[in-house]
Amino acid sequence: MRLIKVVHRAPIRVAKISKRRQQMRLRRAMLELKLALSQEKQETKEMLDIYKRYSTGKAQKEELKIANKQFFDLLKGLGLGVFALLPFAPITIPLIVKLGQWVGVDVLPSSFSSTNKPSRK
């Protein structure tokens, strides 16, 4: 009798564990997204500050190169934003990113790139 009770509870326990695991994955993904967006926000503020100093003639060429690189990252994000408005966006955006990797084009902004993330064990 006890064996039947344990066998009966096993699928419920497995379902609870997998639900908790999915919640943790979602939470971790949302935190990574939050960090990437805050990094993009900070870089964009710096870019605007550099362009403001450039308009008064106080910025150097190295700073301007950094600002231009961030501007291109901003354009990449806006380009993906267009696809977010389309139907089936959860399918099209990963497909575009994968296709870009296959062709050798970096579609994601630098803060969302997997090269900037610390390695997980």
Side-chain angles (χ1 to χ4, degrees), residues 39-53 63 66-67 70:
Q39 181 182 351
E40 275 295 315
K41 178 183 170 186
Q42 182 64 31
E43 289 175 354
T44 303
K45 283 184 179 182
E46 291 173 6
M47 176 195 72
L48 291 174
D49 184 47
I50 291 171
Y51 282 149
K52 183 179 174 184
R53 284 188 283 136
E63 292 176 331
I66 293 171
Q70 176 57 29

Side-chain angles (χ1 to χ4, degrees), residues 1-118:
M1 180 74 174
R2 185 174 181 140
L3 181 63
I4 293 173
K5 199 174 188 180
V6 171
V7 170
H8 174 68
R9 287 187 180 175
I12 297 170
R13 196 172 0 160
V14 170
K16 285 181 181 180
I17 291 171
S18 65
K19 180 181 176 186
R20 186 170 294 140
R21 185 179 297 141
Q22 290 295 330
Q23 287 175 342
M24 292 302 291
R25 283 182 186 166
L26 179 65
R27 183 174 288 146
R28 187 176 299 126
M30 289 295 131
L31 286 174
E32 287 176 2
L33 179 65
K34 180 182 174 184
L35 290 174
L37 288 174
S38 67
Q39 181 182 351
E40 275 295 315
K41 178 183 170 186
Q42 182 64 31
E43 289 175 354
T44 303
K45 283 184 179 182
E46 291 173 6
M47 176 195 72
L48 291 174
D49 184 47
I50 291 171
Y51 282 149
K52 183 179 174 184
R53 284 188 283 136
Y54 179 74
S55 67
T56 60
K58 296 179 183 176
Q60 298 176 0
K61 288 189 177 190
E62 294 83 20
E63 292 176 331
L64 192 59
K65 287 181 183 179
I66 293 171
N68 288 338
K69 183 178 177 186
Q70 176 57 29
F71 182 67
F72 288 129
D73 272 354
L74 190 64
L75 290 178
K76 287 180 189 178
L78 290 175
L80 281 178
V82 170
F83 291 108
L85 298 175
L86 294 175
F88 304 109
I91 298 170
T92 57
I93 292 176
L95 184 67
I96 290 170
V97 171
K98 219 28 148 168
L99 185 65
Q101 289 174 351
W102 185 58
V103 174
V105 177
D106 189 20
V107 179
L108 292 174
S110 62
S111 62
F112 292 96
S113 177
S114 61
T115 57
N116 290 343
K117 294 180 184 177

